[in-house]
Amino acid sequence: MSEKSAVMPASGSRVANIKSLSFMDVIEGIPPSLIQLLVALAPTIDLVHRILLLVTWRGGYAMRVQSWLLLVGYILTCMYGYEVLRYAPQALLLLVLGYTWLCRSFTRITGQRRAADESGSVRTLRKAVSQLSEISDFFSAVYECLLRPVHDVLCWKVPGYGPVQLVIFLIASWPLWLLCMLPQHMWVTPIYYASTTFSSIGASAPVAALSNYYHTQLAPAAHTHMANNAPRLCALYAKVSAWAHQYVIPLVRSWDLPNMRLSLQTFPPFPIAALTLRHVLLVGGVIVLTWCSPWATLIRSALWHSAFVRHVVLTTVRVLSGSESVASRLRPKPPSPRKRHATDEFETEFVFEIYENQRWWIGLDWTAALLPQERPSWSDSENHAVAPPASFSLPRGIRTYMPSSRYPGKDDLRTSQWRWVDSEWHVAGVQSITSSSYTPKRSMNASEAQRLSKELATAHTEPVEVPDEVKDVARPISEPAVSMDVDAEGWQYGDNAWEKLSKQSGMGRYTRRRRWLRTAVLVQSVEYGVQRSS
């Protein structure tokens, strides 16, 4: 890529304060030790970035296949890692040598340059900076969502009884942990096993009755139905059955499966005295490695639709976080005989907008490394710092009591709750904003909407507004968006002072930005004539 001149004509006081940058200015502004460290750690950064892609199941079909291989490799390591380290540690070195030999052979055949030949090049530095940006976004999201709450509980920074409840939980669960992890020879009570064979199981009354029902009623009826409605499928079944009777069944009979003995643990039951540290590492590692996979995300979404699962999870979180005491959560609440109150509910859509800002550097190309006095790498419309899309979260719900407009002497409960409509963020100009997949929870005509708005205006002293923390990043969907002239990837290029923005890149274009959008809905409900809880 040809070098760009950083000399810019001053247009106004804002541009006059910006110093012209050249290649030597950039090199002198960065300590040499930092550049050497970045070059030396480039292979490690690339490895960490690749592992991150595998763990998060990103990067396309090829990376998903490698994610499956990583999962299978971890399971095999947990199951047979100790035996390999104890009896054949040389196999690990042989595997490493074989892998590097295959990589060298592939590089020689395809004619690709080795990473060692590009060490210290501009391409290596640019790639390392880009990978560091993605790694920092991921770990910042993990820190805010997981590590920071756990750290606050462990350091007694959570108000209430959170740490105390966690201590009680750890002490109470310790005996159960010992019951599962103690080996068999340390138990006072012997562990009994029941032995049987497959022939004994097949001769039992339930299995014999099931086999008789299958051969006398189910199989003939299915064969008759298939012969009448799918003759080609019936002919294919006959060919496969003849092949199985000729080759597969004699092989299975040679294994002598009917006389194979089975040992079943009768006391203590599983997992008592049956777990090891290997099982804990296996289960924990599999959960971590599959957490971001598409199928695991689908399973969690399906389970979360169950009210029982939500109740169990939310109760556990509330108990361990200290928001409510253990006694109040475990004590059953008697059913309240109060009657059902009238409730009005409506929803309003908002579009959240955040800007991704980058600057062009000689030798590094476009990066998120901006000047100290200018806007941050992720900002709102007023150039204030905001969280990146990976860690951006909606405001918490609000519950307020107001004097009732319908029932004198009682209160109206107003609830506001945010939730996302779009499944993920997208770039403006690349994917158009549509609300075709969104259906309001309740539809009302014009007269009903006008009546509800009047009642809300008289029932509350404060107007319904967007919370202050999202005023600069959200707008109602009815308001038109600010027009931006962007290229095919959604970027808008500007000069050194973030002015003269357009979709044209080239000489004199040292800054760029693009807008990320995501639609959310504010659900507001009013329950009239409730009794305020003490």
Side-chain angles (χ1 to χ4, degrees):
M1 179 179 295
S2 60
E3 297 183 358
K4 299 183 180 180
S5 174
V7 180
M8 296 295 300
S11 60
S13 59
R14 182 178 180 183
V15 182
N17 295 330
I18 298 179
K19 182 181 179 181
S20 299
L21 298 176
S22 63
F23 180 75
M24 295 304 300
D25 294 331
V26 176
I27 295 299
E28 292 177 359
I30 301 177
S33 57
L34 183 60
I35 298 179
Q36 293 177 1
L37 181 62
L38 186 62
V39 172
L41 294 180
T44 305
I45 295 174
D46 182 72
L47 178 61
V48 174
H49 181 261
R50 187 175 182 84
I51 294 176
L52 181 61
L53 292 179
L54 294 178
V55 173
T56 55
W57 296 71
R58 294 183 295 136
Y61 175 77
M63 295 298 293
R64 288 189 180 181
V65 173
Q66 297 179 24
S67 298
W68 277 109
L69 295 178
L70 176 63
L71 177 62
V72 174
Y74 179 80
I75 294 175
L76 294 178
T77 301
C78 292
M79 295 177 61
Y80 307 107
Y82 175 76
E83 287 76 5
V84 172
L85 289 176
R86 182 175 182 180
Y87 299 110
Q90 297 82 357
L92 299 178
L93 297 178
L94 293 176
L95 288 176
V96 173
L97 291 174
Y99 175 76
T100 54
W101 178 79
L102 289 176
C103 292
R104 288 173 60 90
S105 301
F106 178 78
T107 302
R108 184 175 62 255
I109 294 173
T110 57
Q112 297 179 356
R113 298 178 60 186
R114 295 193 302 269
D117 298 335
E118 300 180 355
S119 178
S121 63
V122 176
R123 180 176 178 272
T124 303
L125 289 176
R126 183 167 61 248
K127 183 179 179 182
V129 172
S130 176
Q131 292 175 347
L132 274 178
S133 177
E134 295 185 14
I135 293 173
S136 63
D137 290 342
F138 173 78
F139 281 102
S140 63
V142 172
Y143 174 77
E144 291 294 334
C145 299
L146 180 62
L147 298 182
R148 184 175 181 179
V150 175
H151 177 267
D152 292 342
V153 174
L154 296 179
C155 295
W156 299 78
K157 295 182 180 179
V158 177
Y161 300 95
V164 177
Q165 295 172 1
L166 182 59
V167 171
I168 296 175
F169 171 78
L170 294 176
I171 296 177
S173 61
W174 183 41
L176 181 61
W177 174 271
L178 290 179
L179 289 177
C180 298
M181 302 297 291
L182 282 178
Q184 299 180 7
H185 65 272
M186 298 183 64
W187 276 71
V188 178
T189 303
I191 299 177
Y192 299 97
Y193 291 89
S195 298
T196 184
T197 60
F198 284 103
S199 59
S200 300
I201 296 176
S204 60
V207 176
L210 181 63
S211 178
N212 183 44
Y213 171 77
Y214 172 78
H215 288 93
T216 58
Q217 299 185 18
L218 186 61
H223 187 271
T224 303
H225 179 77
M226 186 169 56
N228 295 332
N229 297 276
R232 295 183 59 183
L233 184 61
C234 184
L236 179 61
Y237 172 77
K239 293 181 180 179
V240 174
S241 178
W243 178 83
H245 281 80
Q246 184 177 0
Y247 298 103
V248 179
I249 293 181
L251 180 62
V252 174
R253 289 177 178 175
S254 64
W255 294 346
D256 197 15
L257 291 178
N259 296 324
M260 184 176 295
R261 303 196 65 82
L262 297 176
S263 296
L264 303 178
Q265 181 179 346
T266 57
F267 183 82
F270 183 84
I272 304 299
L275 295 183
T276 61
L277 188 59
R278 178 182 302 180
H279 297 95
V280 178
L281 295 177
L282 177 62
V283 174
V286 168
I287 293 176
V288 171
L289 292 178
T290 59
W291 185 263
C292 298
S293 62
W295 52 272
T297 305
L298 181 61
I299 293 175
R300 289 199 308 272
S301 177
L303 291 177
W304 194 249
H305 281 79
S306 172
F308 174 76
V309 174
R310 292 197 303 269
H311 179 73
V312 171
V313 173
L314 294 178
T315 302
T316 304
V317 172
R318 289 169 184 168
V319 168
L320 296 182
S321 63
S323 59
E324 296 182 20
S325 62
V326 179
S328 62
R329 294 304 305 171
L330 298 179
R331 186 184 301 114
K333 296 182 180 180
S336 58
R338 67 177 185 176
K339 61 180 181 180
R340 183 178 181 88
H341 302 282
T343 303
D344 283 325
E345 179 174 312
F346 64 96
E347 302 176 351
T348 308
E349 281 189 278
F350 293 87
V351 178
F352 283 74
E353 300 176 339
I354 60 177
Y355 291 85
E356 181 184 9
N357 306 307
Q358 292 185 356
R359 174 174 284 276
W360 186 87
W361 296 92
I362 299 177
L364 298 179
D365 204 4
W366 294 102
T367 67
L370 304 176
L371 296 176
Q373 70 273 13
E374 59 184 346
R375 62 190 66 183
S377 59
W378 292 95
S379 65
D380 56 16
S381 59
E382 300 297 331
N383 296 330
H384 299 150
V386 296
S391 57
F392 193 94
S393 59
L394 290 172
R396 296 183 177 180
I398 300 176
R399 293 167 55 91
T400 56
Y401 288 89
M402 298 293 178
S404 179
S405 60
R406 296 183 178 180
Y407 304 92
K410 293 187 178 182
D411 298 321
D412 292 343
L413 174 60
R414 178 191 171 214
T415 305
S416 299
Q417 186 70 35
W418 288 90
R419 64 178 176 84
W420 291 115
V421 175
D422 295 338
S423 59
E424 59 184 1
W425 293 82
H426 58 269
V427 179
V430 177
Q431 177 184 351
S432 60
I433 303 176
T434 60
S435 58
S436 58
S437 60
Y438 169 72
T439 303
K441 188 174 182 180
R442 177 183 177 185
S443 59
M444 59 184 71
N445 52 34
S447 60
E448 186 179 4
Q450 184 178 7
R451 178 190 60 80
L452 180 59
S453 62
K454 290 182 179 179
E455 290 180 353
L456 290 176
T458 57
H460 306 288
T461 58
E462 297 182 358
V464 178
E465 297 180 352
V466 180
D468 295 335
E469 57 268 25
V470 297
K471 279 186 176 181
D472 294 332
V473 295
R475 61 173 174 84
I477 198 171
S478 57
E479 294 184 5
V482 178
S483 178
M484 291 180 58
D485 189 15
V486 298
D487 62 1
E489 295 181 359
W491 290 106
Q492 188 180 43
Y493 299 85
D495 57 14
N496 208 19
W498 297 89
E499 295 178 352
K500 301 178 181 179
L501 299 173
S502 68
K503 65 179 180 180
Q504 300 296 332
S505 62
M507 296 298 297
R509 301 291 180 172
Y510 303 96
T511 58
R512 69 176 183 179
R513 67 171 185 172
R514 62 179 174 182
R515 182 168 54 191
W516 290 76
L517 306 176
R518 191 174 183 182
T519 307
V521 62
L522 176 61
V523 183
Q524 296 175 310
S525 61
V526 179
E527 187 176 4
Y528 299 96
V530 300
Q531 189 69 29
R532 184 178 300 190
S533 58
S534 56

